[in-house]
Amino acid sequence: MLISRTLIDTATAANLPLDEVLFVDCRFDLADATKGDRDYADSHIVGAVRADLDRDLADMATPANGRGRHPLPDPARFQAFLSHIGWRPDVQVVAYDGAGGALAASRFWWLARLAGLDNVAVLDGGWPAWLASKLPVDAMLPVREATSMHLRFDSTGTVSAEELSAGLASGRIVLLDARAAPRYRGEVEPLDPVAGHVPGARNRPFADNLDAHGFFQRPEALRKAFEGLIRPHDSAEVVHMCGSGVTACHNLLAMDYAGLCGSRLYAPSWSGWVSDRTRPVTTL
């Protein structure tokens, strides 16, 4: 069943039959890495399984070696995770977090899309919207039967630092940085050892994708904003980055929702870029 491949609203998600939907709870707190697990244990959407950013959506056990603060998980490991939570091609997957998709539902969405899943969407408004709508929650741990699968991961969905440098130098790509403007400008840097941005990068703070209530802007508004920012490039020439490859996925999702498909991710992002101090850095 395919209801949506980008965003899904709470009313639509709530009305899906339980045997035709797989909710994935991706809540995460950068200041407290265990809070998402505690919040899930306390209360979650009925039937939701758990996906933790550090444990399931990144490879934190292997030395980063330039891969950034949240290195991508090995494809086989992510496939095993999908099998463990009981993903099937006939269910609609709905990922949610507590930050409008930014931490880390959009990361799950992007990894799933990279693995070839079409039937995956992010819950618009996330956990706060579900609670505001007074929809069912509980604390029961769901029992799902593990499934067997073989997925083909799209290696063209990411770019390396070398590809990024060459693409920027030739003008073939446009790089969008999803961090907040003060970090992009190099005025503050709370997480990484160097402040600033990749020379030539353009700033698109992921928070600009949301309205004042935490819902995504309308697709036509997003399309207008992104087209104005990436011009004269088309969407297939866009590469996204952020601090560690998480909130950049929010911009990927926003562009897809707006019909601007085909953009890619520089997964190591700023934390990976500055791990090599010979790479250029600029500030404003």
Side-chain angles (χ1 to χ4, degrees):
M1 180 177 64
L2 174 58
I3 302 298
S4 174
R5 63 196 308 269
T6 53
L7 293 174
I8 189 169
D9 62 83
T10 53
T12 300
N15 283 311
L16 293 174
L18 285 179
D19 62 344
E20 296 181 9
V21 61
L22 174 60
F23 288 103
V24 183
D25 187 311
C26 303
R27 284 177 288 171
F28 189 81
D29 189 328
L30 286 172
D32 182 351
T34 66
K35 187 174 186 300
D37 284 340
R38 299 197 309 270
D39 287 345
Y40 172 78
D42 180 64
S43 181
H44 50 258
I45 293 176
V46 175
V49 297
R50 177 80 179 123
D52 180 73
L53 174 61
D54 284 351
R55 183 175 58 247
D56 305 309
L57 309 181
D59 178 9
M60 307 299 286
T62 305
N65 293 330
R67 296 184 300 142
R69 282 184 281 106
H70 284 105
L72 295 184
D74 178 80
R77 184 175 171 215
F78 186 66
Q79 179 174 286
F81 169 70
L82 292 175
S83 174
H84 172 71
I85 64 175
W87 174 78
R88 307 189 317 264
D90 61 334
V91 298
Q92 171 70 52
V93 183
V94 178
Y96 68 92
D97 60 28
L103 288 174
S106 59
R107 168 79 163 219
F108 173 87
W109 169 86
W110 178 79
L111 284 170
R113 291 291 302 277
L114 203 67
L117 277 63
D118 277 332
N119 56 345
V120 57
V122 170
L123 184 67
D124 196 14
W127 177 247
W130 190 270
L131 292 181
S133 298
K134 301 187 186 322
L135 293 167
V137 301
D138 67 21
M140 293 181 61
L141 298 182
V143 177
R144 295 188 63 90
E145 183 178 350
T147 53
S148 178
M149 66 190 72
H150 179 72
L151 302 173
R152 185 182 298 275
F153 285 75
D154 181 10
S155 61
T156 66
T158 61
V159 300
S160 66
E162 292 72 26
E163 291 173 304
L164 181 63
S165 296
L168 287 170
S170 67
R172 293 194 307 271
I173 67 169
V174 58
L175 177 62
L176 298 187
D177 189 325
R179 294 175 299 162
R183 287 187 71 193
Y184 167 81
R185 293 193 295 261
E187 297 168 2
V188 297
E189 182 44 66
L191 297 171
D192 295 307
V194 180
H197 60 268
V198 176
R202 305 174 188 182
N203 192 208
R204 170 62 183 186
F206 73 89
D208 290 353
N209 299 325
L210 304 176
D211 65 19
H213 304 288
F215 294 94
F216 272 75
Q217 303 276 356
R218 298 302 303 159
E220 54 270 21
L222 291 168
R223 186 180 186 95
K224 181 179 180 180
F226 277 103
E227 285 183 332
L229 189 58
I230 69 176
R231 194 176 292 126
H233 297 269
D234 62 35
S235 56
E237 297 172 310
V238 176
V239 174
H240 299 274
M241 66 172 291
C242 56
S244 66
V246 177
T247 56
C249 297
H250 203 266
N251 278 351
L252 271 155
L253 173 59
M255 283 190 64
D256 264 34
Y257 179 54
L260 299 170
C261 303
S263 59
R264 297 177 290 166
L265 178 69
Y266 171 52
S269 287
W270 183 246
S271 56
W273 182 264
V274 299
S275 67
D276 183 344
R277 298 300 179 87
T278 67
R279 291 180 183 141
V281 168
T282 191
T283 58
L284 294 178

